[in-house]
């Protein structure tokens, strides 16, 4: 249930150019399971880390939006 | 999109996706609550979001990391998922480490409980907080139970805010259902000092004030040691006592 000042239709709308070709896949990077997002023409990014160690969530390499290749994770 | 490899990794992360490095050797951890608080559904990509599945374990790590002495929350949020917002607010309220929040720009809807969940809260003079009723969208079954469910959800938010700030239950509901102030909704917009006057936020201030307050709370909790043994502050015996002491914030 959303509790926001933004109109729900605006929150939920998704322009076609933003959603096309976006794909997500789980990858094993540096021993961590990471959900990686990818859009054609851009570098893959960390969508989220999947870990039971809380300190992984403080590690800057696994912050959502981190560009995977730029951080030398591949 | 920029080509990767030409820029510094951190700069590229910030430019491309707004990601900001966290951690490091500083003793204050800064957590930003921005855009929509994303809940059980992934929101379309035009939304800037704060992901609760990332924030919750991060707060667990902050609580356990001996190098982190305090948590600074920066809020500029339009609200979002009720349960995700309440989850973040509850975990902040239950932390043993000092926490200070600053509302910058806006701390609307579910941003209100998150803002009041800290030990001490600030709001920028120009920042606003919108207090309004929870809505149901989409297909709604037209039975009295739907209304009861909505009221119950609303009470979860109201009770949390009342228990963690100085605002009274009736006053908060009055602000929530006030007519004539918002063009398309019931509710109230509280600007800067209005939020302080209503008892939602403790003080009007900015970053300097927030860090000074956080340092002061950290110092006050660093009790002197006897024979090398640190004297721990007495822990509140019950959640009610903890919330009562929280309501007397700043004392």
């Amino acid at each position: 249930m959303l509790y926001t000042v933004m109109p729900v239709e605006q929150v939920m709308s998704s322009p076609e150019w933003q959603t096309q070709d976006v794909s997500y896949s789980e990858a094993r990077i540096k021993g961590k399971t990471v959900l990686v997002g990818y859009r054609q023409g851009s570098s893959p990014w960390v969508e989220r880390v999947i870990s039971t160690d809380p300190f992984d969530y403080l590690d800057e390499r696994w912050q959502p939006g981190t560009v995977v290749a730029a951080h030398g994770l591949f | 999109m920029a080509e990767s490899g030409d820029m510094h990794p951190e700069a590229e992360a910030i430019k491309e996706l707004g990601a900001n490095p966290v951690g490091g050797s500083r003793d204050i951890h800064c957590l930003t609550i921005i855009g929509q608080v994303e809940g059980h559904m992934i929101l379309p990509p035009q939304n800037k979001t704060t992901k609760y599945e990332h924030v919750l374990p991060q707060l667990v790590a902050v609580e356990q990391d001996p190098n982190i002495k305090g948590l600074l929350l920066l809020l500029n949020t339009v609200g979002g998922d009720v349960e995700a917002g309440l989850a973040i607010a509850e975990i902040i309220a239950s932390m043993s480490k000092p926490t200070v929040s600053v509302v910058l720009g806006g701390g609307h809807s579910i941003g209100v409980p998150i803002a009041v969940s800290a030990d001490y809260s600030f709001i920028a003079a120009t920042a606003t907080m919108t207090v309004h009723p929870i809505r149901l969208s989409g297909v709604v079954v037209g039975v009295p139970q739907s209304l009861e469910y909505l009221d119950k959800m609303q009470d979860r938010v109201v009770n949390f805010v009342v228990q963690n700030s100085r605002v009274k239950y009736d006053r908060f509901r009055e602000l929530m259902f006030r007519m004539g102030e918002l063009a398309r909704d019931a509710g109230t917009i509280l600007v800067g000092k209005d939020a302080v006057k209503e008892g939602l936020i403790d003080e009007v201030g900015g970053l300097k004030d927030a860090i000074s307050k956080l340092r002061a709370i950290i110092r006050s909790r660093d009790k002197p040691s006897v024979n090398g043994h640190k004297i721990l502050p007495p822990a509140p015996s019950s959640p009610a006592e903890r919330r009562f002491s929280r309501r007397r914030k700043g004392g």
Side-chain angles (χ1 to χ4, degrees), chain A residues 1-20 22 24 35 37 39-72, chain B residues 1-2 4 9-10 12-13 16-17 19-23 29 36-37 41-47 51 53-54 57-58 60-62 64-65 68 78-83 108-110 130-137 149-150 153 157 176 184:
Chain A
M1 184 184 282
L2 287 180
Y3 182 33
T4 173
V5 287
M6 301 286 282
V8 174
E9 59 271 23
Q10 199 175 324
V11 174
M12 292 302 177
S13 69
S14 47
E16 201 180 316
W17 66 270
Q18 283 182 321
T19 52
Q20 64 185 5
V22 177
Y24 300 100
L35 187 67
R39 184 188 291 130
Q40 201 168 19
S42 75
S43 309
W45 64 89
V46 173
E47 184 66 18
R48 59 175 293 221
V49 62
I50 300 166
S51 171
T52 53
D53 181 358
F55 290 94
D56 285 340
Y57 296 84
L58 287 182
D59 190 331
E60 67 178 70
R61 293 175 302 169
W62 314 121
Q63 297 307 305
T66 301
V67 178
V68 174
H71 274 248
Chain B
M1 288 287 179
S4 59
E10 287 180 5
E12 171 147 349
E16 293 289 325
L17 295 144
N20 206 5
V22 296
H29 184 83
Q36 291 279 346
V37 177
M41 280 193 308
I42 293 178
L43 294 177
Q46 85 276 13
N47 295 283
K51 296 172 187 298
E53 73 270 29
H54 210 92
Q58 201 173 95
V60 174
V62 168
Q64 292 183 90
D65 191 334
I68 298 174
V78 289
D81 187 273
V82 172
E83 299 211 328
H108 309 287
S109 316
I110 201 66
T130 308
V131 180
H132 65 104
I134 290 175
R135 292 178 292 263
L136 269 178
S137 56
Y149 173 70
L150 194 63
M153 291 294 276
V157 174
M176 201 176 229
R184 304 196 321 162

Side-chain angles (χ1 to χ4, degrees), chain B residues 1-38:
Chain B
M1 288 287 179
E3 290 171 30
S4 59
D6 298 340
M7 299 174 70
H8 189 275
E10 287 180 5
E12 171 147 349
I14 292 168
K15 181 172 182 283
E16 293 289 325
L17 295 144
N20 206 5
V22 296
S25 59
R26 310 292 190 273
D27 61 352
I28 290 178
H29 184 83
C30 176
L31 179 68
T32 48
I33 308 287
I34 50 99
Q36 291 279 346
V37 177
E38 196 176 83

Side-chain angles (χ1 to χ4, degrees), chain B residues 176-190:
Chain B
M176 201 176 229
F177 296 107
R178 183 180 282 173
M179 297 301 293
E181 197 156 315
L182 301 181
R184 304 196 321 162
D185 206 345
T188 310
I189 298 176
L190 300 168

Side-chain angles (χ1 to χ4, degrees), chain B residues 94-110:
Chain B
S94 62
M95 287 177 79
S96 68
K97 291 192 176 173
T99 53
V100 169
S101 65
V102 192
V103 180
L104 305 154
H108 309 287
S109 316
I110 201 66

